Amino acid sequence: MTAQRRALGANGPLVSRIGLGCMSLSGVYGDADDAASEKLIHHVLDQGVNHLDSSDMYGWGHNEEVIGRAIKGRRDQVFLASKFGQIRREGGGNGVDGSPAHVAAACEASLKRLGVDHIDLYYQHRVDPNVPVEETVGAMTRLVEQGKVRWLGLSEAAPDRIRRAHAVHPISAIQTEYSLLYRTEAEQTREVTQELGIAFVAYAPLGRGFLSGTINTLEDVGGRRAQHPRFLPENFAHNHALAMRVADFAREKGCTPAQLCLAWLLAQGDDVFPIPGTRSASRFDENLGAQDVVLTAEEAARISATIPAGAAAGTRYPAGGMKGVFI
Ligand SMILES: NC(=O)c1ccc[n+]([C@@H]2O[C@H](COP(=O)([O-])OP(=O)(O)OC[C@H]3O[C@@H](n4cnc5c(N)ncnc54)[C@H](OP(=O)(O)O)[C@@H]3O)[C@@H](O)[C@H]2O)c1
């Protein structure tokens, strides 16, 4: 299968419509095996998928090191995205740091772990409410000038902040959660990104696996996901029923539930780039197959109406995490 590619943002680079979200290669959703992860990345690149999404906080450096080893000798086949801005606080817990000094230091450390001389798409992972976005993006602009970074992105920034950032330096992509399970904030964000010619990278496009049809009991929920409100016992049955509606549509369309989710996202517009995560080559192939599942406008609208925005039970993150998203 050959991956379809589209320009990422106005006059942007050609990026595969479906990428690989690499977060779960660092044990976030259960055990991951580094040798298998490197093989998976080779397989992904062999299919012509160039978009690999990482962050310095996935396994606190581990994720970038795995990717760095995997892409050795294949750098020119990769559109490499990573992120900075989340930090570990002394004594436990995560914080954010969008200060210019941190931007420069974090990028240097990521380049070293990745073993590359530049990152293609560099995102601020979480907004730092204590640092004006103009200052953070100013520091990111210097990375572009130094050739360490090619394109800039923000994750989970709200529309106003996106406009302010874009006024400092063109923003190529916004990455925010976007799936049939959670899309209210993504839809509000896309009103601005579409106006400004910014691409929308859809993270957790399978609802952290909930919409894939393979999570049917609480025991099926692996790793840190169990703390997410969507999987809590009081919300599980409601959200599982939504996943079953996805499965019904998939049966009607002759594809798998994961493919239906991704095809629905692709049908929303050429600006949308889903990055499903998986540790398995066969699931990756299945997910890539979504590019050939074409939904008519009528089908996409019917799916949207059956699983309306806001239908999920529980917030996207636990209460602490919700304070840092869409701000
Ligand atoms: N910017 C941010 O704040 C942020 C936050 C979260 C995620 N992300 C990015 O988005 C990427 C994707 O998000 P995500 O991994 O959280 O959620 P996701 O892509 O919605 O779901 C991933 C889960 O679904 C399973 N899965 C994948 N394909 C499947 C298939 N065809 N059938 C059945 N199950 C399947 C995976 O399990 P297996 O591994 O067992 O296949 C994994 O547990 C991440 O890797 C990361 O790069 C960004």
Side-chain angles (χ1 to χ4, degrees):
M1 198 175 318
T2 307
Q4 295 169 10
R5 295 186 181 186
R6 292 275 184 284
L8 183 106
N11 306 314
L14 281 182
V15 174
S16 46
R17 270 324 281 291
I18 294 176
L20 179 69
C22 295
M23 182 176 75
S24 58
L25 305 183
S26 292
V28 178
Y29 294 161
D31 291 344
D33 173 85
D34 289 354
S37 297
E38 288 174 42
K39 263 177 80 177
L40 169 71
I41 291 171
H42 293 161
H43 173 78
V44 165
L45 298 180
D46 289 344
Q47 313 312 307
V49 166
N50 61 351
H51 189 179
L52 302 180
D53 184 80
S54 186
S55 166
D56 61 3
M57 69 92 67
Y58 299 159
W60 297 111
H62 169 266
N63 205 259
E64 291 181 326
E65 286 171 0
V66 171
I67 293 174
R69 287 196 296 275
I71 66 173
K72 216 168 181 186
R74 301 183 74 167
R75 177 67 184 90
D76 57 339
Q77 296 168 37
V78 183
F79 181 80
L80 187 54
S82 197
K83 317 184 192 81
F84 70 91
Q86 305 216 53
I87 54 164
R88 271 187 290 194
R89 286 202 192 289
E90 269 179 45
N94 292 356
V96 290
D97 190 346
S99 66
H102 181 69
V103 173
C107 182
E108 227 38 70
S110 285
L111 289 171
K112 200 163 164 218
R113 283 190 293 264
L114 289 161
V116 299
D117 63 1
H118 73 277
I119 293 166
D120 294 302
L121 174 58
Y122 201 40
Y123 295 94
Q124 182 182 21
H125 202 158
R126 284 290 180 278
V127 163
D128 182 345
N130 297 317
V131 177
V133 72
E134 289 79 0
E135 278 183 31
T136 307
V137 176
M140 294 166 78
T141 304
R142 285 192 283 285
L143 298 176
V144 176
E145 289 161 358
Q146 292 163 357
K148 295 176 178 173
V149 161
R150 293 271 156 86
W151 290 278
L152 302 186
L154 303 173
S155 176
E156 291 288 357
D160 268 6
R161 209 174 303 263
I162 296 170
R163 284 189 195 282
R164 284 169 51 197
H166 197 66
V168 175
H169 186 282
I171 299 298
S172 297
I174 295 295
Q175 181 174 141
T176 288
E177 181 163 9
Y178 189 16
S179 74
L180 275 164
L181 203 55
Y182 293 102
R183 65 181 191 270
T184 305
E185 292 156 341
E187 285 178 351
Q188 287 173 29
T189 303
R190 272 185 75 224
E191 286 176 19
V192 177
T193 52
Q194 288 187 310
E195 177 197 322
L196 299 177
I198 299 173
F200 191 99
V201 175
Y203 84 67
L206 308 177
R208 297 188 187 266
F210 211 159
L211 300 179
S212 68
T214 58
I215 295 185
N216 295 304
T217 69
L218 284 166
E219 285 68 46
D220 296 332
V221 182
R224 284 212 311 253
R225 273 182 303 193
Q227 300 156 11
H228 281 261
R230 74 193 68 183
F231 294 117
L232 293 180
E234 61 268 32
N235 297 325
F236 191 91
H238 176 94
N239 293 331
H240 185 256
L242 298 177
M244 291 304 100
R245 290 187 208 168
V246 171
D248 287 343
F249 274 110
R251 256 190 302 279
E252 181 186 320
K253 195 67 189 167
C255 66
T256 69
Q259 288 175 330
L260 196 282
C261 292
L262 298 170
W264 178 84
L265 281 168
L266 296 178
Q268 304 309 305
D270 280 352
D271 59 310
V272 179
F273 293 77
I275 47 165
T278 181
R279 295 161 294 173
S280 131
S282 62
R283 282 184 172 174
F284 170 78
D285 289 345
E286 176 189 331
N287 296 343
L288 184 58
Q291 66 182 12
D292 298 318
V293 179
V294 179
L295 300 175
T296 64
E298 185 275 326
E299 286 171 328
R302 201 151 49 85
I303 295 166
S304 303
T306 307
I307 304 142
T315 51
R316 294 198 283 128
Y317 282 91
M322 285 305 289
K323 290 190 192 136
V325 294
F326 197 61
I327 60 172

